[in-house]
Amino acid sequence: MGIHLKRTSIMLAAMLIVCAVWAGVTAAAAPERMPDWAASEIAYWKSNGLLQGNANGEIEPGRNVTRAELAAMLNRVFGYIADDAPDFRDVPAGAWYAADIRKAAAAGIMEGTGGALVEPQRHVTRAEAAVMLARAFQVEATAAATVPFADDDAIPDWADAAVYALKDAGYVAGTPDGLYLPAKPLTRAEAIKMIHNAMGALIADDAIHSGMTGGNLVVNTAGGTLKDAAFTGDVYLAPGIGEGDFTISGTTIAGTLYIGAGGVNSIVITDSEIGTVIVNKSGGPVRIVFEGAEAGEVIVLTAGGKLVLDADSVIGTLYGKAAASIAGSGTIKLAVVQASGIVLEITPEALKLDGQTVVIGGVTVSQGYEAGSDPASGGSNGGNGAGTARKTALYTYEEAAAKLADDGAEGLVKTYLGFLGDPTYTPSIANPEVEMPDLVNAATFVDYEFTVKPSIFPSLRGVNSSVLSVDRKVLWLGTDEGVTRIELATNRMTAYDAAGRQLADDRVLLLIDDGARGVFAITETGVSHIYQ
């Protein structure tokens, strides 16, 4: 009897072991469950080599993402090359994420957290993620009103514009309760969903891609062709293309084509229609060829680049914000020159000069002209000539950062906006070596390296900023009620305010003389270029 019970116990124990092993095998073989709201995006990322699992091949969609991991994800999408960012003390040279952090910082999408630290292993919050994505995809807030998130008060000021820019673009939607949850750590599934919403589709090879349609597209590899495609959003020729070439043929892009790569081998755009082209490649010039192509706007932000138009190509408005050359025989309906060193072989139908000169057909031109007038006569509404005053140009902070030049008065505007957007900037301690005086303008003090013409009424209560024109004929005053222009010879005054649509709001923070035609007025919510 005892022997029989012993054998029975051994058999039962063996069966239990087999069952346990089988249960473990079954559990290991069970597929990892992905959230329904991100399943298709996760599958796309896996199939395109954008997503890496853990040692067991698991995606871990619910695990929180670190700052280093988000930088790596964005780097896989854009293929950043430049890595000339300052070293961070908490990024070991041999860390797997060291290169990704350097590239993200060099691209301007990731900043340190103070004290030469970047906290790569800290979980990234949804607010921080919004800022990084808005920078990477160059998403700007729109002027249209948007319904705020239910927790709008919890969104930090430094992330507010980015969060709502992404919301306006349809890239983030929040929770079913209308919350954004800015302080909540971002999960891997959420990160993939957010980035994919902005990325749309991806081209990561040198093949010919025909008939593609959709919202957005990112191209991060040289040598390919986009043919007979239609996109309702934006297309990004990302840094991963490097100095290589890429061709766009027979394609419609309703939004913006961002050219952030390419070299002397050319970005070729053939028989295509594009809403806006922004050329902003860092690290060297790029050559862009239009062949039977049409663009509503072309904004040149890269110095040394070249744009070539054939006879069948048309540009609605060309904004020259960096030294570049435009060659060929196409049509430019309006050229707006906002930087020195621009050379046009094509005579535009109309020309506006923002305090600059331009070389057209080998001749230096110092005055603008309207369409239909004789360019040789200087026209009646350009450069430093007399004529009808131009309409005030209004920008959001984001638009000003993207469209204004990096030098001159526009460069000062962008520098000041950088101070306003810096969450660590406190005017009263901007320069610890200087004791702040009891002056109104101390509220807009920045640092000792920021050189701007000082207010001539630094202690006049009620005047936030003031500036005298270069010819000393016009005085500009900025107050909490807008801008006032005073002609000193006649005491004639002209008021500019939000009600008249010359300012985004009436509280003027700083006035900067543009050196020729008027002033830039920086208010709490926007930038205005007011012309004389």
Side-chain angles (χ1 to χ4, degrees):
M1 183 68 176
I3 295 174
H4 177 71
L5 289 174
K6 186 174 182 180
R7 288 177 177 175
T8 302
S9 299
I10 292 172
M11 291 177 65
L12 288 173
M15 290 176 65
L16 289 172
I17 292 172
V18 171
C19 290
V21 171
W22 176 253
V25 171
T26 303
E32 186 180 18
R33 181 171 177 78
M34 302 299 160
D36 293 339
W37 49 267
S40 62
E41 289 83 359
I42 291 173
Y44 186 96
W45 276 51
K46 288 178 66 177
S47 65
N48 282 273
L50 295 174
L51 195 57
Q52 298 177 2
N54 61 18
N56 298 321
E58 296 170 329
I59 300 301
E60 302 179 281
R63 181 171 64 78
N64 294 335
V65 174
T66 65
R67 286 166 57 83
E69 288 173 323
L70 186 58
M73 288 179 171
L74 289 170
N75 188 39
R76 291 181 200 129
V77 171
F78 286 91
Y80 295 116
I81 296 174
D83 62 355
D84 53 346
D87 291 332
F88 294 105
R89 292 192 293 113
D90 54 352
V91 178
W96 68 263
Y97 51 79
D100 290 310
I101 291 289
R102 287 196 305 271
K103 291 176 181 179
I109 64 172
M110 173 176 273
E111 296 178 348
T113 57
L117 301 176
V118 73
E119 300 180 78
Q121 300 288 48
R122 177 171 62 78
H123 291 151
V124 66
T125 67
R126 288 169 55 85
E128 290 173 323
V131 172
M132 290 178 65
L133 262 67
R135 290 171 179 166
F137 289 95
Q138 303 179 55
V139 186
E140 301 175 359
T142 63
T146 185
V147 178
F149 286 109
D151 55 351
D152 177 75
D153 291 343
I155 299 175
D157 291 341
W158 51 264
D160 187 81
V163 168
Y164 283 106
L166 295 178
K167 183 177 187 292
D168 291 343
Y171 302 154
V172 297
T175 70
D177 297 326
L179 302 172
Y180 183 70
L181 305 177
K184 175 184 175 295
L186 190 74
T187 67
R188 283 170 63 81
E190 289 172 333
I192 293 166
K193 181 76 172 181
M194 287 176 66
I195 299 173
H196 189 86
N197 286 346
M199 176 185 76
L202 176 70
I203 291 179
D205 56 37
D206 59 358
I208 297 175
H209 294 262
S210 299
M212 294 183 69
T213 60
N216 291 357
L217 169 71
V218 175
V219 181
N220 67 11
T221 303
T225 297
L226 178 65
K227 183 178 180 182
D228 301 330
F231 288 90
T232 59
D234 303 326
V235 173
Y236 300 82
L237 301 188
I241 293 175
E243 298 296 312
D245 60 325
F246 191 81
T247 299
I248 297 175
S249 175
T251 292
T252 300
I253 302 172
T256 299
L257 171 63
Y258 293 94
I259 300 179
V264 295
N265 294 325
S266 302
I267 302 298
V268 180
I269 305 172
T270 303
D271 299 325
S272 299
E273 295 183 6
I274 303 172
T276 300
V277 177
I278 295 182
V279 184
N280 192 19
K281 179 207 169 188
S282 61
V286 57
R287 183 172 183 263
I288 303 166
V289 177
F290 275 36
E291 297 175 347
E294 182 172 347
E297 290 183 335
V298 174
I299 302 171
V300 180
L301 301 173
T302 298
K306 186 170 186 177
L307 179 62
V308 181
L309 281 64
D310 74 352
D312 296 323
S313 295
V314 179
I315 293 176
T317 303
L318 171 69
Y319 292 94
K321 296 178 178 293
S325 63
I326 292 82
S329 55
T331 299
I332 301 174
K333 295 183 178 180
L334 169 64
V336 181
V337 176
Q338 298 172 311
S340 59
I342 294 177
V343 178
L344 303 176
E345 291 183 10
I346 303 168
T347 300
E349 294 179 358
L351 175 68
K352 291 181 179 179
L353 302 177
D354 283 354
Q356 305 288 342
T357 61
V358 61
V359 176
I360 302 178
V363 178
T364 299
V365 178
S366 60
Q367 288 189 327
Y369 53 84
E370 295 178 346
S373 64
D374 180 9
S377 68
S380 61
N381 185 28
N384 302 316
T388 305
R390 283 181 57 186
K391 182 180 179 181
T392 298
L394 289 172
Y395 306 92
T396 64
Y397 283 2
E398 292 75 18
E399 288 170 341
K403 294 184 177 180
L404 297 184
D406 292 331
D407 54 5
E410 294 187 11
L412 291 175
V413 171
K414 293 174 71 171
T415 299
Y416 185 67
L417 293 181
F419 285 112
L420 295 181
D422 183 354
T424 66
Y425 164 56
T426 303
S428 62
I429 59 172
N431 185 349
E433 303 301 322
V434 176
E435 182 177 350
M436 295 305 298
D438 182 23
L439 302 178
V440 172
N441 295 125
T444 56
F445 180 81
V446 281
D447 69 15
Y448 71 95
E449 293 181 340
F450 183 67
T451 304
V452 63
K453 183 182 295 185
S455 175
I456 65 171
F457 297 126
S459 60
L460 183 62
R461 300 297 167 180
V463 175
N464 301 336
S465 183
S466 57
V467 67
L468 192 63
S469 64
V470 175
D471 58 11
R472 306 181 68 82
K473 294 181 180 180
V474 175
L475 173 65
W476 299 85
L477 302 178
T479 69
D480 285 347
E481 297 178 354
V483 175
T484 301
R485 176 180 179 272
I486 304 174
E487 296 182 15
L488 298 181
T490 63
N491 284 330
R492 179 185 176 186
M493 292 187 290
T494 305
Y496 304 85
D497 54 28
R501 298 187 177 182
Q502 294 111 346
L503 300 174
D505 64 273
D506 288 335
R507 186 164 190 269
V508 179
L509 301 178
L510 187 67
L511 295 174
I512 296 178
D513 183 17
D514 69 3
R517 306 183 61 189
V519 294
F520 286 97
I522 303 171
T523 66
E524 285 192 325
T525 59
V527 177
S528 298
H529 191 179
I530 303 173
Y531 298 91
Q532 298 189 53

